Amino acid sequence: MDPLLMARPGTVGVVFRPQQPPEDLAGVVRDVDAAGVPELWLWEDCFLEGGLTTAAAALASSTRVRVGVGLLPVPLRNPALVAMEVATLGRMFPGRFTATLGHGVGDWMTQVGAGVTSPMTLLREHADAVRALLDGEHVTATRRYVRLDDVALDWPPPQRPTLLVGARGPRTIALAGEVADGVLLDSVTDPETVRRARGIADDARAAAGRGGPALVTAYTELDPAADHLSERVAERVASLHEAGADTVVLQGTGERPDPRPLVTALSDAGLLP
């Protein structure tokens, strides 16, 4: 089934920020599950928690919650390895995992010896290869960064997990529409940012001959200690959904990363089942 057929307009989620220690994850997942929050999202930032290991633990801690990673920096991983890991999670937890690919922070990539001179080229090549491998194709590529010789997964997922590209600038947003199922936007507060990204991604998708609209997921930060939090949550979620976000994902601040106050605010605002 095409992942776009699984689009869920009006979905909400929360982020388990990696400023929380990994041993807190299982308890957060249990609370998110009990409250009825549809989605839990994770970061992978240097040098905190690994995105795919954390995702596996989160998925195993619930039978219902959908889990997304935003994002996996492509300079850090060979695309064959990414496809193997994503396929494994897709088969073990069908319909519950979303992977997001992205540039990563340039300074960190240089710090670990993985910097490249053309991040856009790498991201395009990497996303093309990962998508094709997850679709069960045999992939041979001799490109600038990605070189694969008749590579195919022995255990491709029957249904490809949703694959997004994390983006901020218009060129990367367009790339997300072209090569992935949609885009993950970070640190969004202005509805116009979502509206503009929606237009760019949909236009790029149409130009590439891919059917249907792009999926748009937006991270948005709110201070869990703010006054009238449920009102702020309701207003932010409504404005970003109205602007074109399929999923609005709330995250706390670096100083207050625990998402559980935001879960309570979502419930108090009447935004959970």
Side-chain angles (χ1 to χ4, degrees):
M1 180 184 296
D2 190 308
L4 290 177
L5 298 180
M6 300 178 63
R8 298 170 292 273
T11 298
V12 295
V14 294
V15 175
F16 178 87
R17 290 182 64 135
Q19 286 81 12
Q20 285 191 266
E23 59 267 26
D24 287 358
L25 177 64
V28 170
V29 175
R30 286 193 295 269
D31 289 343
V32 166
D33 195 340
V37 179
E39 299 192 0
L40 178 72
W41 284 74
L42 309 165
W43 288 14
E44 182 174 84
D45 268 4
C46 297
F47 299 95
L48 297 163
E49 292 142 8
L52 291 168
T53 49
T54 311
L59 287 160
S61 298
S62 169
T63 60
R64 179 193 61 80
V65 175
R66 297 187 295 269
V67 175
V69 177
L71 47 74
L72 302 172
V74 298
L76 288 178
R77 292 183 178 86
N78 184 284
L81 177 60
V82 172
M84 290 164 57
E85 301 280 18
V86 172
T88 300
L89 292 178
R91 291 184 69 102
M92 293 178 68
F93 307 100
R96 292 180 52 210
F97 180 58
T98 296
T100 308
L101 307 176
H103 297 302
V105 177
D107 288 346
W108 288 336
M109 298 303 100
T110 300
Q111 187 178 359
V112 300
V116 296
T117 56
S118 181
M120 285 291 294
T121 301
L122 171 59
L123 183 54
R124 177 184 294 278
E125 294 178 5
H126 195 286
D128 281 343
V130 169
R131 189 183 74 243
L133 289 167
L134 291 173
D135 284 340
E137 298 178 18
H138 286 251
V139 179
T140 296
T142 306
R143 303 176 72 176
R144 182 171 178 178
Y145 296 110
V146 172
R147 295 176 175 84
L148 302 174
D149 182 8
D150 194 27
V151 175
L153 298 178
D154 286 297
W155 294 105
Q159 174 185 304
R160 172 165 54 83
T162 302
L163 186 66
L164 305 181
V165 163
R168 291 181 176 174
R171 291 179 61 215
T172 313
I173 294 170
L175 182 67
E178 182 181 346
V179 304
D181 299 313
V183 62
L184 172 65
L185 306 171
D186 187 23
S187 303
V188 176
T189 58
D190 178 13
E192 184 56 34
T193 300
V194 173
R195 193 171 291 111
R196 183 167 53 250
R198 158 67 66 194
I200 293 170
D202 284 348
D203 288 349
R205 191 171 182 83
R210 307 187 67 205
L215 295 175
V216 177
T217 297
Y219 278 8
T220 187
E221 185 175 283
L222 286 163
D223 185 347
D227 293 335
H228 309 294
L229 182 59
S230 61
E231 295 172 25
R232 293 173 185 263
V233 163
E235 180 180 357
R236 182 72 58 81
V237 169
S239 67
L240 298 183
H241 277 155
E242 176 65 24
D246 298 293
T247 302
V248 176
V249 185
L250 306 178
Q251 62 181 4
T253 64
E255 295 75 22
R256 298 184 180 91
D258 194 322
R260 283 171 282 202
L262 297 172
V263 171
T264 299
L266 283 168
S267 180
D268 291 345
L271 296 175
L272 299 180

